[in-house]
């Protein structure tokens, strides 16, 4: 039994006559010889693009999926800060953060929720395949971004209001991590955001390329694990990392905020959202979606 990844079945796959071979396996008498052999790049591209098209076909459901996806990312940020609090060795702290944060993307993909950076890549593949219009892509990105930000902020607002274990050393750790991300120069932040989605959306594509549950969860885990350890910038994760110290300070004045602000200043949350959104968009489209689409096109020409 394999995970239902909320991607629609491709009609073309269902209509293949018996005895016709696929890149993802050999079909004989209507059955795949090896059900665990990964899909071809072309089949994966079709599946990821179909997922994006299905989302804009149900806009209200997509908004709710984005809200929940944003909350799941903030949950990963809180766990990452918790396990790294008090750890003095930077490499070990980063490793622990990555291990704790990694399950957030597994939850999103397996449950069928939405993450804007995944939608950026998936929707761009749909545009390249001409199954989604540019206007539909803008809708996908805008609604997904708004839903994720709102969901992430809702989760950290509850954490901030709760206080308790999120005060003291945890609050100091949150302020330190948030200030480090907010204080990076423009080009550093945008290039780290490009690297983030290069890691993350490659793992998303591998998730949809894999057939077994274990392989899918491993690929889904690796993306956020890698981008957290690498110290990169993810727009929704940063809403959690920057928003948490801001909200802790709002509800508990003694909690540090590390000089982070809400607005468009040098260390502002809105500034960071804008910069990282652009970088994540570039990484997901030009460094992940476009190469996979080109590979799929070149392979199909040889068939």
């Amino acid at each position: 039994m394999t995970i239902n990844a909320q991607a629609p079945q491709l009609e073309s796959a269902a209509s293949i006559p018996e005895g016709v071979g696929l890149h993802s396996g050999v079909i004989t008498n209507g059955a795949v010889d090896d059900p665990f052999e990964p899909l071809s790049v072309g089949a994966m591209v079709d599946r990821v693009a179909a997922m994006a098209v299905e989302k804009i076909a149900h806009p209200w459901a997509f908004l709710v999926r984005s809200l929940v996806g944003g909350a799941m990312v903030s949950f990963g940020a809180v766990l990452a800060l918790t396990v790294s609090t008090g750890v003095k060795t930077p490499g070990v702290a980063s490793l622990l953060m990555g291990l704790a944060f990694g399950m957030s993307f597994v939850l999103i993909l397996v449950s069928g929720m939405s993450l804007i950076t995944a939608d950026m890549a998936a929707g761009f593949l749909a545009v390249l395949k001409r199954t989604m219009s540019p206007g539909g892509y803008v809708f996908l990105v805008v609604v997904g971004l708004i839903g994720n930000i709102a969901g992430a902020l809702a989760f950290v607002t509850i954490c901030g209001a709760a206080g308790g274990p999120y005060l003291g050393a945890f609050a100091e750790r949150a302020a330190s991590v948030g200030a480090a991300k907010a204080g990076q120069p423009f080009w550093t932040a945008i290039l780290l955001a490009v690297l983030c989605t290069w890691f993350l959306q490659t793992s998303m594509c591998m998730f949809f390329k894999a057939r077994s549950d274990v392989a899918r969860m491993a690929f889904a885990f690796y993306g956020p694990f890698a981008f957290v350890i690498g110290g990169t910038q993810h727009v929704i994760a940063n809403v959690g990392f920057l928003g948490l110290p801001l909200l802790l300070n709002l509800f508990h004045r003694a909690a540090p905020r590390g000089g982070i602000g809400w607005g468009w200043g040098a260390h502002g949350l809105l500034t960071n959202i804008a910069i990282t959104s652009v970088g994540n968009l570039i990484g997901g489209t030009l460094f992940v979606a476009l190469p996979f689409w080109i590979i799929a096109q070149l392979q199909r020409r040889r068939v």
Side-chain angles (χ1 to χ4, degrees):
M1 182 176 181
T2 55
I3 295 168
N4 178 6
Q6 300 295 323
Q9 287 294 110
L10 298 175
E11 294 181 2
S12 58
S15 61
I16 295 174
E18 295 182 0
V20 177
L22 286 178
H23 295 294
S24 55
V26 178
I27 294 180
T28 306
N29 296 325
V32 179
D33 288 343
D34 184 359
F36 296 106
E37 186 176 347
L39 296 174
S40 69
V41 172
M44 178 273 291
V45 165
D46 290 344
R47 191 175 187 189
V48 173
M51 175 189 69
V53 173
E54 186 271 336
K55 286 182 178 181
I56 65 170
H58 304 90
W60 289 109
F62 172 50
L63 177 60
V64 175
R65 290 161 74 175
S66 298
L67 289 166
V68 178
M72 289 177 172
V73 172
S74 278
F75 181 44
V78 171
L79 292 180
L81 291 170
T82 300
V83 299
S84 62
T85 296
V87 180
K88 303 301 181 182
T89 306
V92 175
S94 296
L95 175 62
L96 293 174
M97 290 182 73
L99 290 171
F101 196 97
M103 283 304 294
S104 62
F105 201 39
V106 178
L107 289 174
I108 290 170
L109 288 179
V110 173
S111 66
M113 297 303 109
S114 285
L115 181 62
I116 181 57
T117 45
D119 295 334
M120 287 172 175
F124 193 65
L125 281 173
V127 171
L128 292 172
K129 284 175 53 62
R130 299 182 181 178
T131 57
M132 180 183 291
S133 68
Y137 182 66
V138 171
F139 174 84
L140 182 79
V141 171
V142 171
V143 173
L145 184 61
I146 292 173
N148 275 175
I149 291 173
L153 282 175
F155 188 91
V156 291
T157 297
I158 295 171
C159 293
Y166 305 127
L167 299 175
F170 176 95
E172 293 176 3
R173 172 64 176 167
S176 174
V177 171
K181 289 185 174 294
Q184 290 177 335
F186 174 82
W187 284 110
T188 300
I190 202 166
L191 291 174
L192 288 176
V194 170
L195 291 177
C196 174
T197 38
W198 199 343
F199 287 147
L200 187 59
Q201 296 339 306
T202 298
S203 76
M204 183 266 293
C205 289
M206 294 302 96
F207 175 90
F208 283 104
K209 198 173 189 297
R211 290 184 183 270
S212 72
D213 292 354
V214 173
R216 287 184 175 185
M217 288 189 287
F219 285 129
F221 178 87
Y222 178 76
F225 171 76
F227 89 65
V228 170
I229 287 183
T232 62
Q233 298 262 15
H234 185 279
V235 57
I236 306 305
N238 283 8
V239 172
F241 285 126
L242 275 66
L244 188 55
L246 286 169
L247 287 158
L248 282 170
N249 178 261
L250 180 65
F251 289 105
H252 310 277
R253 290 298 181 183
R257 55 189 289 179
I260 305 168
W262 288 99
W264 295 100
H267 293 75
L269 176 61
L270 291 179
T271 300
N272 187 266
I273 288 173
I275 294 172
T276 52
S277 293
V278 173
N280 288 162
L281 181 66
I282 294 170
T285 55
L286 299 186
F287 288 87
V288 179
L290 183 60
F292 276 121
W293 179 78
I294 291 173
I295 292 167
Q297 294 298 107
L298 292 174
Q299 287 180 337
R300 282 166 175 160
R301 287 177 185 175
R302 295 181 60 186
V303 176

